[in-house]
Amino acid sequence: MPIAPDSNPKFNEYAHPDALVSTEWLAANLGSEGLVVVESDEDVLLYEVGHIPGAVKIDWHLDLNDPITRDYVDGAAFKALMERSGISRDTTIVIYGDKSNWWAAYALWVFKLFGHDDVRLLDGGREKWIAEGREITRDGAAVAPSEYPLVIRDDSKIRAFRDDVLAHFGNPLIDVRSPQEYSGERTHMPDYPDEGALRGGHNPSAASVPWAKAAGELGVFRSRAELEEIYLNGAGLKAGDNVIAYCRIGERSSHTWFVLNYLLGFSGVRNYDGSWTEWGSLVGVPIAKGTEPGLAPSPR
Amino acid sequence: MLQSLEDLIDDFNSIGVKDRLTLLLEYSDNLPELPPKYSDHPDLLERVEECQSPIYLFVEVDGSSKVNLFFSAPAEAPTTRGFASILHEALDGKTAEEVLAVDEDFANRIGLAEAVSPLRMRGMRAMLHRIKRQVREKSST
């Protein structure tokens, strides 16, 4: 049984209000049967430092990425992950994490590749929960046994591959990296390790909207009006657009994918997880340098 | 290889993968604070660019070639703090010669790659590399 959504008026203005819960809602619903809270952070040890009581940890490197192939885990590994996290197919999952839910949104996107129905983000994530002085603990979570079906990952709807991007030219692309990465001044985030791309720049015609613009103070999502200002007026998206978002390895763009899909109601938004580490090293694909988007090449 | 490092490698490898993360957390919790001479002068510290989270380090080599290490990393970056604390535990107070002789492969032998993912270990290798470079610079004068 899904748990009743958060009726917080802030969320009502979004296209899918039930994709978010507030810290108040979560505090009131902690321990409810059928609810599993998941923490997903950039830092693999942050959960151990202290987490929401009862929350389980899912790490993007260790749990969501395949250890050998550059890809996500397969259905069998996802089933095992769900079962060791106490999650069944009908469980309501609330994911939260550090850095304005950047990695939480990435985890949510992977959960959606496997079609898990009821996955929500905690608005404001870890930062807001802690800033409000709510309880955290170092105690491990008691995981109730669960059974999860073997689901084949569906990459066709919300995931874009490089050939999809080549065929997409002429439709909107959103580059969510930093301005320096977009212009080609650098190939990785300021303050972050260089994960490697042979060329700096962006996909021709992509609009630059750094992902964190969607988050305000304490990492909460901006209001619908503010988001429309950023993505519709600022980046020129129009209702009905078919959008692909990308970043460096697909994590920051998961956050933007969440915003466009659940908060602004665009359908068919895809996340290109190969992103700049792939595109910036691919032989023979067009790129653009500098601060201007540049013209879209012919799709191929 | 240094005995202090060998002991540390043994400690990590003698326990299961989950416990290695707990041990890393202990190191993270116990990273010594920066003394005021550095916390008041952040410009003296060197940034370790290869780490995902901001970490700064400073190396002192005294007249008898004893090495002292200082690190600064935020509480929100416990993995990075843990790596720094491990290096502090193993290398602080050793001679320049001993520090320079540390095997670059040390980060691969500590058994943490399984617990934190191999990609994340890059930060620890980078810290060791920068420590050695500073030791070389500061011992040659």
Side-chain angles (χ1 to χ4, degrees), chain A residues 270-293:
Chain A
R270 285 174 291 168
N271 178 24
Y272 169 40
D273 59 278
S275 278
W276 198 256
T277 51
E278 178 175 80
W279 197 268
S281 294
L282 263 183
V283 175
V285 298
I287 71 164
K289 291 185 90 71
T291 55
E292 291 302 316

Side-chain angles (χ1 to χ4, degrees), chain A residues 106-124:
Chain A
Y106 184 65
L108 184 144
W109 178 74
V110 175
F111 277 54
K112 288 296 179 183
L113 290 175
F114 289 95
H116 194 97
D117 182 46
D118 191 0
V119 198
R120 315 176 190 181
L121 283 187
L122 173 66
D123 196 26

Side-chain angles (χ1 to χ4, degrees), chain A:
Chain A
M1 268 305 267
I3 296 181
D6 186 349
S7 57
N8 189 320
K10 178 196 167 189
F11 304 150
N12 285 336
E13 62 186 29
Y14 296 133
H16 297 276
D18 51 358
L20 286 174
V21 302
S22 61
T23 49
E24 293 79 10
W25 183 95
L26 185 58
N29 283 278
L30 271 188
S32 299
E33 204 183 320
L35 172 70
V36 172
V37 182
V38 171
E39 175 161 341
S40 216
D41 300 314
E42 176 176 285
D43 191 303
V44 65
L45 206 54
L46 197 55
Y47 169 90
E48 278 76 10
V49 168
H51 50 266
I52 297 177
V56 296
K57 163 181 159 181
I58 290 185
D59 180 68
W60 64 283
H61 266 304
L62 300 169
D63 296 319
L64 300 178
N65 285 350
D66 185 276
I68 310 293
T69 311
R70 181 174 173 186
D71 205 346
Y72 298 98
V73 291
D74 63 11
F78 189 73
K79 170 180 162 69
L81 171 64
M82 294 300 92
E83 290 179 351
R84 69 174 181 267
S85 307
I87 295 171
S88 308
R89 193 65 170 162
D90 61 354
T91 298
T92 295
I93 302 171
V94 171
I95 312 183
Y96 74 99
D98 60 350
K99 311 209 163 173
S100 306
N101 277 328
W102 162 359
W103 301 94
Y106 184 65
L108 184 144
W109 178 74
V110 175
F111 277 54
K112 288 296 179 183
L113 290 175
F114 289 95
H116 194 97
D117 182 46
D118 191 0
V119 198
R120 315 176 190 181
L121 283 187
L122 173 66
D123 196 26
R126 184 184 164 92
E127 184 186 358
K128 184 160 191 276
W129 182 273
I130 291 174
E132 290 170 348
R134 297 183 189 275
E135 186 184 356
I136 58 166
T137 180
R138 284 191 170 195
D139 296 340
V143 172
S146 69
E147 262 188 61
Y148 202 88
L150 183 69
V151 181
I152 304 298
R153 200 182 66 225
D154 181 358
D155 293 333
S156 69
K157 295 190 179 67
I158 60 170
R159 186 178 186 191
F161 293 94
R162 63 194 197 197
D163 288 344
D164 299 324
V165 176
L166 281 169
H168 181 81
F169 281 122
N171 292 291
L173 282 156
I174 301 284
D175 183 317
V176 316
R177 298 171 303 155
S178 61
Q180 297 93 325
E181 292 169 274
Y182 180 84
S183 69
E185 195 183 315
R186 56 194 306 165
T187 53
H188 56 105
M189 264 177 288
D191 303 340
Y192 271 71
D194 187 352
E195 271 157 335
L198 290 172
R199 292 290 185 271
H202 55 267
N203 287 47
S205 78
S208 170
V209 187
W211 71 280
K213 282 191 173 179
E217 209 172 324
L218 290 182
V220 299
F221 287 105
R222 292 193 183 281
S223 68
R224 175 119 191 200
E226 289 170 321
L227 293 174
E228 287 180 349
E229 181 59 35
I230 294 166
Y231 293 98
L232 305 187
N233 298 342
L237 295 183
K238 296 184 300 296
D241 272 348
N242 171 12
V243 186
I244 292 179
Y246 71 92
C247 57
R248 179 190 49 128
I249 55 169
E251 13 66 86
R252 285 173 285 176
S253 44
S254 299
H255 190 272
T256 297
W257 168 84
F258 181 88
V259 169
L260 295 177
N261 190 51
Y262 291 100
L263 307 188
L264 290 177
F266 284 89
S267 57
V269 183
R270 285 174 291 168
N271 178 24
Y272 169 40
D273 59 278
S275 278
W276 198 256
T277 51
E278 178 175 80
W279 197 268
S281 294
L282 263 183
V283 175
V285 298
I287 71 164
K289 291 185 90 71
T291 55
E292 291 302 316
L295 295 174
S298 302
R300 49 169 143 139

